[in-house]
Amino acid sequence: MEDEQIIALYFSRDELAIRETDEKYGRLCFQIANHLLQSRQDCEECVNDAYLCLWKQIPPQHPRCLMAFLGKITRNLALKRLEYASAAKRSPDAVISLSELEEVLPDRQPADSAADDASIGRLIDAFLRQQKADVRNVFLRRYWFFDSVSEIAARYHFSESKVKSILFRTRSKLRQYLKKEGVDV
């Protein structure tokens, strides 16, 4: 079923929408959650919570891309669950990925700063759109999906050193871009 048809089911409050969403995007949502949580039970709960959030948000929202909208919900729920979990249970790849970005992103902006989370997100989006597709994909696989370097290398048929190099250069370029745009990093 096409995304617009699924969204129409949500707008008509038809429970078939959840089944169709699960059939089309269930594995993707599970994969997103699993990269962070690495527990089947936690992932299943996270995916179910994502469907509930989707049910509550559509309507009134009408996402342009259902896959991205649902992926974002799932990722945010998994990150919240990860934050709640004890340090011993945290996914090493997620912790390492987030620590790599600490050197690039501001910790907290002062209240009077124009650089809030939403504007920084838009700047990162604009920056990534300027990058080559393979660079953008590697960056997103690492910092959005929390894939390990070895998983990214296997996916794109790169060596691990090439993936590390791409990530390092992209983080450096992003840092310079954010500074140029007035974000204190």
Side-chain angles (χ1 to χ4, degrees):
M1 184 175 284
E2 295 298 317
D3 286 359
E4 280 303 318
Q5 293 171 309
I6 295 172
I7 291 170
L9 290 173
Y10 280 102
F11 271 90
S12 65
R13 307 314 284 165
D14 187 337
E15 291 183 13
L16 178 61
I18 295 173
R19 284 194 298 274
E20 291 294 332
T21 302
D22 185 54
E23 185 176 311
K24 189 166 185 180
Y25 297 118
R27 283 188 289 178
L28 174 67
C29 291
F30 188 87
Q31 179 186 10
I32 291 169
N34 192 47
H35 275 288
L36 290 164
L37 304 173
Q38 298 178 342
S39 160
R40 182 168 186 78
Q41 182 179 355
D42 285 347
C43 292
E44 288 172 356
E45 288 178 23
C46 186
V47 171
N48 287 332
D49 289 347
Y51 296 153
L52 178 62
C53 285
L54 195 63
W55 182 261
K56 289 179 179 179
Q57 291 183 26
I58 303 176
Q61 294 190 39
H62 190 285
R64 287 185 301 152
C65 179
L66 184 61
M67 179 180 71
F69 190 76
L70 180 59
K72 182 177 180 181
I73 291 171
T74 305
R75 180 180 181 271
N76 289 340
L77 289 170
L79 283 169
K80 285 179 186 175
R81 189 175 292 263
L82 178 64
E83 184 178 327
Y84 178 76
S86 68
K89 292 183 179 180
R90 290 189 180 165
S91 165
D93 288 330
V95 172
I96 290 168
S97 292
L98 293 173
S99 68
E100 289 171 358
L101 284 179
E102 284 178 352
E103 66 187 46
V104 176
L105 300 176
D107 193 20
R108 285 282 172 225
Q109 294 292 318
D112 60 344
S113 173
D116 62 2
D117 290 342
S119 64
I120 291 172
R122 285 189 295 275
L123 288 171
I124 292 171
D125 184 51
F127 168 78
L128 289 174
R129 289 181 191 278
Q130 297 172 8
Q131 306 305 307
K132 292 181 183 176
D134 60 341
V135 171
R136 182 175 48 249
N137 290 335
V138 167
F139 189 89
L140 290 173
R141 293 306 311 178
R142 182 67 174 155
Y143 302 119
W144 177 262
F145 294 102
F146 297 110
D147 287 357
S148 68
V149 170
S150 60
E151 289 172 320
I152 297 167
R155 175 183 285 265
Y156 296 108
H157 307 290
F158 295 155
S159 67
E160 287 187 27
S161 62
K162 180 174 181 173
V163 171
K164 289 176 186 178
S165 177
I166 289 171
L167 291 170
F168 178 78
R169 286 193 311 268
T170 307
R171 286 192 311 268
S172 297
K173 288 179 186 177
L174 176 59
R175 182 179 178 88
Q176 291 171 354
Y177 178 82
L178 291 174
K179 279 183 179 181
K180 185 182 114 192
E181 294 297 323
V183 177
D184 295 327
V185 291

